[in-house]
Amino acid sequence: MAARVLRSLLRAKGSYRLPSVPRALPVVVNNAHRLSVTPSNFARSSQHDSAQLQRCSLEGNNFCVTWSDGEQSKYHSMWLRHNCQCPECWDSSSNLKRAAADVLQGNPVISTAPALSDSDNPVVNIHWVYGEGGHTHKGFINLKWLKENSYSRSSIKKLQQKTCLPVTDLVPKVDYSEVNEGENGLWKWLKNLNQFGVCLLTGVPKVPGEIGKIAELAGGLQRTHYGTVLDVISSGERIDLVSSTTALPLHMDMCHLEAPPGLQILHCIRNDVEGGRSSLLDVFPVINELRTKFPQHFTTLTEVPATFSRFKTPDQSENPISFSHRKPHIMLDKNGEVIGVNWNNGISGPLLAPEEDVERYYEAICCLEKMLSDPKFQLSHQLKPGEVLSLYNRRFMHGRSLVKLNGGVRHMQTAHVTADDFNSKVRVLASKCDPEYEVKVAFSGYWY
């Protein structure tokens, strides 16, 4: 009945209005086919309640929808064809597309008005016809899924929203016992990390190796050229800069990699020295101010690629390494939105840029360095034994003050989690524990 009403109204007036569709239940198509939830559902789950059609129209190659929350979406016929969820195009057992991209060849267009199915969880039935050869295809897409994957400007804008931790606030804290109690406690920690970019765990056992368990909870322990878990023990012996007593300026870990780690986790096992205070900085407000006050320097740092290199020769290590990667300090998407920042002066290699760019590059990094040193942007915390500092390495810089041993020992262990593994864990837990939460993808290299 609903299909006939939809079709007749579209043909008569080009648009229609429907009464509210009941809240979406687990995805059932025509009461026969069950569709598995896809990764994008986890990231956009707060839109479930608003997956109700208010008005729609077929305009040229676009299926245009006004949802009950007022949002308007346009779905191109080729986009719809590429995302058809019929059994011929989608394998629900593996959550993979069956159809190859060649189904888009021949310019598939919607031949008749899409029809809404009669079910508690409706689908939009669509009939495509190809301009070449007269080939046709009949398929469907779940209505709730359409809403969750709207690519309207307003929907994409929600993904760009970033929550910044004011510098006057304390670093958010979660007790480790809560994290170990179950998914709700784990979500409390990961939500802080996703929302603010930093979180402190307290009450962690002061034993080596515990950090590996923590990293697994956050998505999985990452192996790098340092191994999996790295001991950082400040002593009088000069082993390397990290394990020395020297102050370390604000930096991001491993910018010399094509994909630097997502999470950095630092576990304090023993700390009875003077100094060694951790400094923290959220790059988002700094980069925003740079863009506003010094647009010429901002532009330079998006255009001139820096060199990041890390190497150890056979004379220095049994496992020599040679990493080098060139990329701008500030990375933008096509809309000019900042999607990544790379900063680590300790591993900055020789600048390889046209002669006319050299001077403006150094002027720009001097300007940014001065801003990073401004106390108004910085947080600091003296890590105590049994505390774990976790931060999103793509967004937060970290450093430490000078360490004075005075007969004591500063023993830390550090580990990492990839951005992909962390973000996957966040989406999965958000869908279970906090369906209304809008997952943040700030500074993940995510194009909007």
Side-chain angles (χ1 to χ4, degrees):
M1 178 63 181
R4 291 196 296 273
V5 171
L6 172 57
R7 190 177 293 109
S8 63
L9 286 173
L10 274 170
R11 286 174 176 169
K13 298 181 180 180
S15 64
Y16 77 94
R17 290 182 180 275
L18 283 179
S20 297
V21 178
R23 179 177 178 177
L25 299 173
V27 181
V28 178
V29 179
N30 293 337
N31 297 319
H33 303 291
R34 182 175 294 274
L35 294 180
S36 301
V37 180
T38 62
S40 57
N41 294 118
F42 295 130
R44 315 276 288 281
S45 58
S46 68
Q47 299 174 352
H48 286 180
D49 290 342
S50 57
Q52 300 175 13
L53 273 173
Q54 186 179 52
R55 183 181 180 87
C56 75
S57 61
L58 187 58
E59 300 176 7
N61 288 331
N62 292 303
F63 178 49
C64 305
V65 177
T66 299
W67 302 96
S68 58
D69 62 359
E71 182 181 344
Q72 296 181 339
S73 304
K74 283 187 177 181
Y75 303 95
H76 193 277
S77 60
M78 294 186 74
W79 186 95
L80 293 167
R81 180 65 189 91
H82 190 224
N83 291 289
C84 179
Q85 296 169 342
C86 77
E88 182 182 334
C89 298
W90 176 259
D91 180 46
S92 60
S93 63
S94 59
N95 291 341
L96 295 173
K97 282 185 169 72
R98 289 180 182 271
D102 61 6
V103 300
L104 302 176
Q105 295 179 11
N107 190 29
V109 297
I110 301 173
S111 64
T112 58
L116 195 67
S117 68
D118 290 310
S119 70
D120 290 334
N121 199 16
V123 300
V124 178
N125 292 298
I126 306 173
H127 183 196
W128 291 272
V129 63
Y130 289 75
E132 300 175 5
H135 173 65
T136 64
H137 179 77
K138 291 182 178 180
F140 54 76
I141 298 178
N142 178 262
L143 185 66
K144 183 178 69 174
W145 187 93
L146 268 183
K147 170 60 173 168
E148 292 166 349
N149 291 279
S150 168
Y151 56 92
S152 67
R153 290 186 182 277
S154 59
S155 295
I156 293 175
K157 194 67 178 177
K158 290 178 182 178
L159 286 175
Q160 296 172 301
Q161 294 173 351
K162 310 167 184 72
T163 302
C164 290
L165 181 71
V167 73
T168 55
D169 286 358
L170 298 175
V171 174
K173 296 181 181 181
V174 176
D175 192 88
Y176 190 48
S177 62
E178 291 185 72
V179 174
N180 283 313
E181 283 176 358
E183 289 184 333
N184 286 328
L186 176 58
W187 170 240
K188 185 177 180 181
W189 171 43
L190 298 187
K191 181 179 180 180
N192 274 323
L193 278 170
N194 180 250
Q195 191 170 28
F196 298 110
V198 64
C199 188
L200 189 71
L201 290 179
T202 57
V204 180
K206 299 185 285 288
V207 295
E210 190 69 23
I211 193 171
K213 300 177 184 177
I214 296 171
E216 291 296 335
L217 290 172
L221 189 60
Q222 178 181 3
R223 175 175 289 277
T224 71
H225 52 82
Y226 295 110
T228 52
V229 174
L230 177 66
D231 280 290
V232 180
I233 304 174
S234 296
S235 64
E237 298 182 14
R238 181 65 177 244
I239 301 174
D240 58 35
L241 190 62
V242 175
S243 295
S244 71
T245 58
T246 305
L248 297 179
L250 289 164
H251 65 280
M252 295 169 163
D253 276 7
M254 294 185 245
C255 292
H256 55 278
L257 300 181
E258 186 275 331
L263 282 190
Q264 194 212 0
I265 306 172
L266 186 64
H267 180 200
C268 180
I269 297 172
R270 179 180 171 183
N271 193 8
D272 48 13
V273 302
E274 182 181 344
R277 191 174 183 87
S278 296
S279 53
L280 301 166
L281 181 140
D282 185 350
V283 300
F284 180 59
V286 181
I287 297 302
N288 268 354
E289 186 166 309
L290 177 71
R291 190 175 206 169
T292 301
K293 292 185 175 181
F294 307 99
Q296 73 280 15
H297 294 325
F298 175 87
T299 299
T300 295
L301 296 180
T302 66
E303 293 178 345
V304 182
T307 303
F308 299 96
S309 61
R310 187 79 171 95
F311 62 92
K312 286 192 175 182
T313 66
D315 294 336
Q316 296 173 313
S317 173
E318 295 179 357
N319 300 301
I321 57 173
S322 180
F323 291 93
S324 183
H325 196 71
R326 296 177 68 227
K327 49 193 168 185
H329 287 288
I330 302 172
M331 302 175 71
L332 307 177
D333 68 3
K334 68 181 181 67
N335 299 314
E337 292 287 339
V338 178
I339 60 171
V341 175
N342 304 288
W343 188 264
N344 188 329
N345 188 62
I347 56 173
S348 59
L351 178 66
L352 300 175
E355 294 176 1
E356 61 271 19
D357 288 337
V358 173
E359 185 172 346
R360 72 178 181 119
Y361 170 80
Y362 284 113
E363 288 176 350
I365 64 169
C366 287
C367 178
L368 180 55
E369 178 64 44
K370 185 176 180 180
M371 294 179 68
L372 295 174
S373 302
D374 191 331
K376 75 177 182 180
F377 292 118
Q378 297 186 14
L379 293 168
S380 68
H381 180 77
Q382 184 68 58
L383 277 170
K384 305 177 184 64
E387 290 183 339
V388 166
L389 179 63
S390 54
L391 55 92
Y392 196 61
N393 183 56
R394 308 290 186 85
R395 174 179 165 182
F396 259 81
M397 297 184 187
H398 63 284
R400 71 156 186 248
S401 64
L402 178 70
V403 176
K404 297 181 180 179
L405 295 176
N406 295 334
V409 173
R410 184 181 188 269
H411 183 190
M412 308 283 171
Q413 282 194 324
T414 185
H416 298 88
V417 178
T418 71
D420 290 327
D421 288 331
F422 170 70
N423 289 325
S424 171
K425 190 76 171 186
V426 167
R427 292 187 185 101
V428 171
L429 279 183
S431 70
K432 293 181 179 181
C433 305
D434 196 353
E436 300 303 313
Y437 178 69
E438 288 283 353
V439 173
K440 315 299 179 187
V441 292
F443 297 100
S444 294
Y446 193 101
W447 275 58
Y448 302 110

